[in-house]
Amino acid sequence: MGLLMFLVGVVIATSLGESAAPRRNVLFLVVDDLRPKLGCYGETNMVTPNIDQLAAKSVKFERAYVQEAVCSPSRTSFLTGRRPDTTRIFDLVHYFRHLAGNYTTLPEHFKNNGYITQSVGKIFHPGTASGHTDDYPYSWTFPAYHSPLLNYANQRLCPGPGGQLYRYAVCPVDLKIVPGGSLPDIQNTDFTIEFLKNRSMDHKPFFVGMGYHRPHLPFAYPKEFLDLYPLSKIHLAPNPYYPPWLPEVAWTPWDELRSWEDVAALNISYPFGSVPLDFQIKLRQSYSAAASYTDAQVGRVLQALDQYGLADNTVITFHGDHGWQLGEHGEWCKHTNFDIATRIPMFVHVPGVTAKEAPPGRMFPFIDALDKSLKFQPEKSSLGEGYSSDAFVEAVDLYATISELAGVDAPPTCPENPLKIPFCTEGASFVPVINNLTMTSHSNDVTSAGKSFAWKQAIFSQFPRPGVHPGNTSMNPVLEDIRIMGYTMRTVDHRYTEWIAYDHTTFTADWSKVYARELYIYSSDPDEDVNVAEVPAFQDLATFLSKQLKAGWRSMLPTLRV
Ligand SMILES: *[C@@H]1O[C@H](CO)[C@@H](O)[C@H](O)[C@H]1NC(C)=O
Ligand SMILES: *[C@@H]1O[C@H](CO)[C@@H](O)[C@H](O)[C@H]1NC(C)=O
Ligand SMILES: *[C@@H]1O[C@H](CO)[C@@H](O)[C@H](O)[C@H]1NC(C)=O
Ligand SMILES: *[C@@H]1O[C@H](CO)[C@@H](O)[C@H](O)[C@H]1NC(C)=O
Ligand SMILES: *[C@@H]1O[C@H](CO)[C@@H](O)[C@H](O)[C@H]1NC(C)=O
């Protein structure tokens, strides 16, 4: 009897499978302001066991970059599969559908293909930047979900002098006394778990975007996570000073950090003053604790995916929306073109491809970093190896990659001036890299299904400024204030940047008006401390890289070898 029912089940499943192309669900995890400060990226002091476990069952990208190191421009870029020059989104105010074109977004594409699409937490930048709806109903089947506790997020949550509450950047909290007894990322995670439970019952294909707020400022997290990071183990950035040859136009005065009451009280001079060293240590400690708190929430979602029987048919992507400066170059937050601001953690899990199969419900067991009885030791963990790739990938590539992995049509490459074309991309699917899991940094070739590709040899990002000298609109100018665009290209050996005139009324850059240049040579200067762009000995190199930069991303697209 049992066997007969089993056979009937197999027959039904098979015929369903034949009537529709095999399609996978998508869990799209995005973490705000997370740089690759994770155990799986070799940061041995970091306690991020759940994210590390996912990485160990994924392809992990060592060279993944965003197209602009600030929230909405980066997110709009990877959610539309287009670069900032085409989304025209360089600030946190404007909405691409008003300013550029009626582009079919990544979740919208899945919705058009019969998926239930749901946004939880921060996927699009909320507010005017996504039409006050997080791009609903275009992108999402249901209205975007935000924890009601978000209303408290920027209020006074942090205990300080006189037993009062303050708006602090460094803000370990006691869950027993915060409003609602919880925090937004915890509630958003609860919602995603319920969403997954519902899908396990109705069996509808889904694309769920789960966007975590931490480790974005304020560093508000349950105070227990601070215990994972004794102050004695926290070190300063290796280069916490203004690089002597850095052009001022490249500098952000990090107003975002200065606005918190604990930082404002330090009276740091504007725009070049340094954060006192003891406070730098505290910021680095709390950034780490906030990352561990997010790790615990990621672990809860992965465990739910596993327990509801969805793990074996769900593609999981994980990435940060940009990096974060923790005192490197004397800088804080994002808002620059440095590697530390543009490089992100990124990995892609494909069931049956990037990990060995596990018994049902055992792919992603939750790892509780706060459980002292476990004596969790990241370096001694037996999470497995996973795959790691040195191939250059960009956040703008995720659209085509996820489409291909899930089994929906991947968008074609956009032509020039694609404002009127709803469905195309300025990224490239990196499925060939995933298929070729053994590629090394010395190999330019990737094979995929019998085809051989010459992979891209550079990535491209940009950042706008209102003028050459740092002022209170420099950090992230609104479109109407933009006068300069810093275009940057990163190759294996170099980073090259030109800060050039930009006309925000016509959205055009003028390569003949160069305000400043930067050139970093990684063989002698891995941290980008010494700008040699104006050193006579390097002019031939600068000229060569300048040509490549102007040729742009199209000249670096992976090409099929015949
Ligand atoms: C944008 O595209 C959507 C989906 O194709 C369509 O329903 C909508 O009318 C379009 N909006 C505009 C302003 O063209
Ligand atoms: C799950 O399904 C129930 C019953 O239909 C519904 O009330 C609830 O809103 C759903 N929750 C989510 C997160 O989708
Ligand atoms: C900052 O300036 C305020 C007002 O001038 C002063 O009361 C305070 O002591 C100063 N704090 C520090 C750390 O210098
Ligand atoms: C990866 O690409 C290299 C170079 O083309 C090739 O030699 C190797 O066999 C490929 N590996 C896999 C797993 O496809
Ligand atoms: C920026 O500085 C200008 C000139 O000092 C001042 O008028 C303006 O209010 C400041 N804006 C902000 C956002 O602080």
Side-chain angles (χ1 to χ4, degrees):
M1 190 63 182
L3 181 64
L4 185 62
M5 281 174 67
F6 172 75
L7 289 174
V8 170
V10 168
V11 170
I12 291 170
T14 307
S15 59
L16 275 177
E18 278 165 5
S19 64
R23 296 203 296 187
R24 292 173 173 129
N25 304 311
V26 179
L27 172 60
F28 184 70
L29 299 167
V30 183
V31 185
D32 213 356
D33 285 14
L34 181 68
R35 75 189 219 182
K37 199 169 171 53
L38 297 167
C40 58
Y41 280 94
E43 300 255 358
T44 48
N45 282 337
M46 291 300 296
V47 183
T48 49
N50 294 286
I51 295 172
D52 297 348
Q53 170 169 247
L54 175 60
K57 294 170 179 181
S58 301
V59 175
K60 177 184 67 179
F61 292 93
E62 294 288 346
R63 291 196 179 121
Y65 289 85
V66 294
Q67 278 43 76
E68 186 176 327
V70 66
C71 182
S72 187
S74 173
R75 288 168 189 253
T76 303
S77 171
F78 65 67
L79 287 163
T80 62
R82 305 187 193 217
R83 296 177 191 257
D85 281 342
T86 303
T87 65
R88 299 181 165 179
I89 300 305
F90 312 114
D91 63 24
L92 308 185
V93 177
H94 292 90
Y95 182 25
F96 70 93
R97 293 195 196 269
H98 295 160
L99 213 54
N102 196 20
Y103 306 148
T104 306
T105 69
L106 169 63
E108 183 178 4
H109 180 46
F110 276 79
K111 185 171 163 239
N112 292 345
N113 276 279
Y115 281 64
I116 294 187
T117 62
Q118 173 76 59
S119 170
V120 188
K122 189 170 172 184
I123 296 295
F124 281 93
H125 190 80
T128 55
S130 52
H132 291 289
T133 65
D134 299 62
D135 202 46
Y136 172 81
Y138 294 102
S139 286
W140 310 110
T141 311
F142 304 114
Y145 176 80
H146 294 282
S147 156
L149 298 179
L150 205 55
N151 298 327
Y152 301 106
N154 288 329
Q155 293 180 10
R156 294 166 197 281
L157 281 180
C158 325
Q164 300 198 309
L165 296 177
Y166 296 85
R167 282 186 76 252
Y168 281 170
V170 173
C171 187
V173 300
D174 183 345
L175 286 185
K176 290 202 241 9
I177 64 165
V178 293
S182 188
L183 289 170
D185 284 325
I186 297 174
Q187 286 202 337
N188 288 337
T189 301
D190 293 344
F191 184 93
T192 298
I193 291 170
E194 187 183 313
F195 176 88
L196 294 173
K197 183 179 176 195
N198 284 0
R199 297 297 79 74
S200 74
M201 295 191 294
D202 65 20
H203 304 290
K204 291 187 177 149
F206 64 84
F207 177 112
V208 58
M210 170 74 238
Y212 291 98
H213 293 284
R214 297 289 90 83
H216 192 288
L217 287 168
F219 300 144
Y221 53 84
K223 59 182 172 45
E224 295 75 22
F225 287 92
L226 201 55
D227 300 342
L228 299 172
Y229 299 96
L231 274 178
S232 61
K233 284 196 168 180
I234 307 293
H235 305 289
L236 289 173
N239 53 348
Y241 51 81
Y242 187 107
W245 293 344
L246 184 73
E248 287 191 9
V249 67
W251 179 259
T252 166
W254 42 272
D255 304 57
E256 181 187 357
L257 179 65
R258 292 171 193 267
S259 68
W260 298 92
E261 289 174 343
D262 46 353
V263 182
L266 300 169
N267 301 337
I268 300 163
S269 69
Y270 194 89
F272 297 119
S274 304
V275 174
L277 298 186
D278 58 338
F279 201 77
Q280 294 199 26
I281 294 279
K282 288 204 161 150
L283 288 167
R284 292 175 73 91
Q285 179 191 36
S286 271
Y287 182 89
S288 301
S292 289
Y293 157 60
T294 294
D295 175 80
Q297 307 318 311
V298 170
R300 292 175 59 218
V301 167
L302 293 174
Q303 175 177 251
L305 187 74
D306 207 8
Q307 289 187 340
Y308 291 130
L310 299 166
D312 63 358
N313 195 35
T314 302
V315 169
I316 306 169
T317 63
F318 177 100
H319 75 290
D321 66 344
H322 42 70
W324 221 78
Q325 300 161 131
L326 282 161
E328 291 85 2
H329 305 119
E331 291 278 42
W332 297 89
C333 314
K334 44 271 187 179
H335 314 111
T336 73
N337 279 326
F338 285 123
D339 235 58
I340 205 96
T342 53
R343 180 168 169 246
I344 51 169
M346 187 197 275
F347 28 92
V348 176
H349 168 86
V350 188
V353 175
T354 63
K356 287 201 198 85
E357 282 177 27
R362 298 298 306 277
M363 182 60 90
F364 300 115
F366 180 75
I367 304 169
D368 184 358
L370 297 180
D371 181 346
K372 294 194 173 62
S373 68
L374 281 181
K375 293 201 173 28
F376 179 71
Q377 296 287 335
E379 61 278 8
K380 286 188 199 139
S381 72
S382 53
L383 300 176
E385 288 292 313
Y387 298 97
S388 170
S389 172
D390 282 338
F392 277 122
V393 293
E394 299 170 278
V396 71
D397 298 334
L398 283 166
Y399 193 138
T401 304
I402 294 172
S403 298
E404 194 177 336
L405 290 173
V408 302
D409 289 344
T413 302
C414 293
E416 305 272 356
N417 302 320
L419 265 64
K420 297 246 167 348
I421 301 174
F423 185 56
C424 69
T425 186
E426 295 177 334
S429 166
F430 52 77
V431 170
V433 178
I434 295 174
N435 289 345
N436 187 334
L437 301 170
T438 57
M439 200 185 101
T440 69
S441 58
H442 305 295
S443 164
N444 299 343
D445 283 5
V446 187
T447 56
S448 183
K451 297 173 188 154
S452 170
F453 291 82
W455 201 250
K456 55 173 112 168
Q457 293 299 297
I459 57 85
F460 297 84
S461 311
Q462 64 196 85
F463 208 88
R465 295 281 184 234
V468 290
H469 299 297
N472 63 7
T473 58
S474 294
M475 181 182 83
N476 185 25
V478 292
L479 177 67
E480 292 73 9
D481 286 342
I482 294 173
R483 299 290 182 276
I484 297 172
M485 191 67 76
Y487 288 97
T488 189
M489 176 183 75
R490 199 240 198 254
T491 66
V492 171
D493 300 318
H494 308 108
R495 177 177 290 283
Y496 180 75
T497 307
E498 287 190 19
W499 296 90
I500 63 174
Y502 189 85
D503 183 337
H504 67 264
T505 61
T506 57
F507 298 96
T508 46
D510 181 356
W511 290 97
S512 72
K513 182 118 185 59
V514 181
Y515 291 95
R517 303 186 300 163
E518 291 170 78
L519 171 58
Y520 303 101
I521 300 179
Y522 294 120
S523 59
S524 55
D525 178 27
D527 295 334
E528 303 179 332
D529 293 329
V530 185
N531 172 23
V532 297
E534 307 309 331
V535 175
F538 295 110
Q539 291 318 296
D540 286 351
L541 177 60
T543 303
F544 172 76
L545 293 171
S546 177
K547 282 200 190 105
Q548 278 195 344
L549 175 66
K550 288 171 196 165
W553 62 269
R554 273 179 205 281
S555 69
M556 288 293 170
L557 283 174
T559 50
L560 195 59
R561 284 185 195 277
V562 281

